[in-house]
């Protein structure tokens, strides 16, 4: 069941009459995909409904572009992506925007993570590098369909994202250390065992603002759907926001709608509710 989260009567009365979405932005993992990385039949139906009604749909993910391509093909979407949590905006092989973190800051992040025993994954443009192959990096490769290249991470000059993988307790501790000691970056959890680190100027929200300008779509006419801490800025920017039932509490507290989980037809429930509210693109 879709639950409407009421922030205030004033907010609802102002926004619902203006509800005319032109762009729908979806996170991938924990949103379009189930916990075991499958696409539910109901999710396929939901995306097809939006496409049939002229809705423009795009993906926004912590994944690198290469790992987003198969998902876009599954839904017959254009390859316009917000990638690496907003550090990259790409259209096919064309780079529209990129924001790397300072080199020394990236090296401090790597040092702190290795000291804590976390798996370190470094992303630079379209490339994924690892210092060594381990169970965590192998699992990530199995999930996205390709594997990181082993390399001396101190030689990667332009770092757009660092993904840290490990036990939840260690992830929380490292997130706290990075927040206190490396102000040039921001660290957020997409899921409990994944800590996503990007330049402090980067977010899915800032990238979505750029996309809205490129597509000439007012942010008031954007619907954003997500589940992780890294989706919060995107949901705050969008005219209408949907948090998955499995979303981080911060998203559920701020979203206009809280739908079912990624394992329980949440995407279809949300799309049907949006249509009930008049969400048909012009």
């Amino acid at each position: 069941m879709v639950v409407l989260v009421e922030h205030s009567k004033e907010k609802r009365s102002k926004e619902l009459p203006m509800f005319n979405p032109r762009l729908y932005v979806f996170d991938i993992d924990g949103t379009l995909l189930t916990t075991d990385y499958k696409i539910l039949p109901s999710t396929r139906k939901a995306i097809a409904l939006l496409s049939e009604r002229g809705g423009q749909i795009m993906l926004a993910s912590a994944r690198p572009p290469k790992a987003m391509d198969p998902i876009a093909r599954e839904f017959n979407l254009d390859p316009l992506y917000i990638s690496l949590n907003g550090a990259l905006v790409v259209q096919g092989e064309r780079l529209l925007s990129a924001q790397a973190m300072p080199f020394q800051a990236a090296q401090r992040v790597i040092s702190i993570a290795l000291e804590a025993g976390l798996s370190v994954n470094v992303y630079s443009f379209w490339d994924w590098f690892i210092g060594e192959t381990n169970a965590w990096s192998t699992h990530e490769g199995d999930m996205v369909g390709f594997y990181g290249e082993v390399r001396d991470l101190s030689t990667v000059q332009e770092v757009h994202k660092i993904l840290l993988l490990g036990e939840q307790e260690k992830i929380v501790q490292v997130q706290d250390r990075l927040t206190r000691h490396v102000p040039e970056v921001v660290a957020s959890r997409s899921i409990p065992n994944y800590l996503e680190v990007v330049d402090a100027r980067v977010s899915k929200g800032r990238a979505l603002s750029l996309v809205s300008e490129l597509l000439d779509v007012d942010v008031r006419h954007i619907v954003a759907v997500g589940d992780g801490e890294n989706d919060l800025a995107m949901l705050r920017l969008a005219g209408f926001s949907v948090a998955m039932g499995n979303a981080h509490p911060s998203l559920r507290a701020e979203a206009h709608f809280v739908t079912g989980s990624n394992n329980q037809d949440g995407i279809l429930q949300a799309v049907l509710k949006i249509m009930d509210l008049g969400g048909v693109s012009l």
Side-chain angles (χ1 to χ4, degrees):
M1 178 179 181
V2 179
V3 180
L4 176 63
V5 179
E6 181 174 340
H7 299 291
S8 69
K9 292 182 179 179
E10 291 76 18
K11 183 170 184 178
R12 287 180 63 194
S13 64
K14 289 179 181 178
E15 293 191 351
L16 287 178
M18 297 173 61
F19 191 62
N20 179 30
R22 294 178 54 200
L23 176 65
Y24 299 86
V25 186
F26 291 90
D27 172 54
I28 295 178
D29 298 289
T31 300
L32 288 177
L33 301 185
T34 62
T35 303
D36 57 354
Y37 308 111
K38 305 295 184 182
I39 300 174
L40 294 175
S42 62
T43 298
R44 294 184 187 277
K45 178 180 179 180
I47 300 303
L49 284 172
L50 292 179
S51 297
E52 289 168 3
R53 286 159 175 76
Q56 186 165 1
I57 303 165
M58 71 173 295
L59 303 176
S61 176
R63 293 182 176 217
K66 185 176 178 180
M68 299 175 72
D69 287 337
I71 309 302
R73 288 195 293 269
E74 287 282 351
F75 293 111
N76 295 314
L77 303 180
D78 292 333
L80 172 62
Y81 309 143
I82 292 172
S83 176
L84 301 180
N85 277 341
L88 299 182
V89 178
V90 303
Q91 188 167 31
E93 297 183 357
R94 181 184 173 201
L95 181 65
L96 302 180
S97 174
Q99 179 63 64
M101 65 185 75
F103 178 78
Q104 292 301 328
Q107 293 305 308
R108 289 201 299 275
V109 171
I110 292 170
S111 177
I112 290 171
L114 291 175
E115 181 183 329
L118 297 181
S119 172
V120 179
N121 303 263
V122 170
Y123 298 86
S124 178
F125 295 104
W126 275 261
D127 297 319
W128 168 22
F129 301 112
I130 55 177
E132 63 177 9
T133 300
N134 53 49
W136 289 100
S137 65
T138 299
H139 172 75
E140 178 69 6
D142 292 343
M143 187 265 289
V144 301
F146 69 103
Y147 299 88
E149 175 187 339
V150 177
R151 179 170 170 177
D152 180 353
L153 299 181
S154 67
T155 67
V156 183
Q157 294 299 311
E158 292 193 77
V159 176
H160 295 94
K161 191 189 83 166
I162 300 174
L163 171 62
L164 306 178
L165 307 175
E167 298 173 4
Q168 184 174 351
E169 182 179 354
K170 292 181 179 180
I171 289 289
V172 171
Q173 292 172 352
V174 168
Q175 183 178 24
D176 179 64
R177 286 190 65 187
L178 295 180
T179 300
R180 289 186 288 113
H181 299 299
V182 192
E184 301 94 334
V185 304
V186 60
S188 60
R189 282 171 286 169
S190 51
I191 58 176
N193 299 104
Y194 280 53
L195 187 62
E196 315 271 358
V197 185
V198 293
D199 184 88
R201 294 163 289 185
V202 165
S203 73
K204 288 186 182 181
R206 290 190 179 185
L208 183 56
S209 180
L210 171 64
V211 169
S212 74
E213 294 178 8
L214 293 173
L215 298 180
D216 193 25
V217 175
D218 191 297
V219 294
R220 293 175 299 174
H221 302 307
I222 295 176
V223 173
V225 187
D227 73 299
E229 287 180 339
N230 56 331
D231 294 316
L232 185 57
M234 177 175 76
L235 267 65
R236 284 175 171 168
L237 179 72
F240 279 82
S241 54
V242 178
M244 302 300 293
N246 52 290
H248 188 273
S250 61
L251 273 72
R252 297 201 304 269
E254 294 201 28
H256 295 98
F257 299 99
V258 178
T259 187
S261 79
N262 60 324
N263 296 325
Q264 298 174 322
D265 302 328
I267 294 296
L268 180 59
Q269 293 172 21
V271 167
L272 292 176
K273 186 65 175 181
I274 289 167
M275 290 181 172
D276 285 344
L277 293 173
V280 179
S281 296
L282 294 176

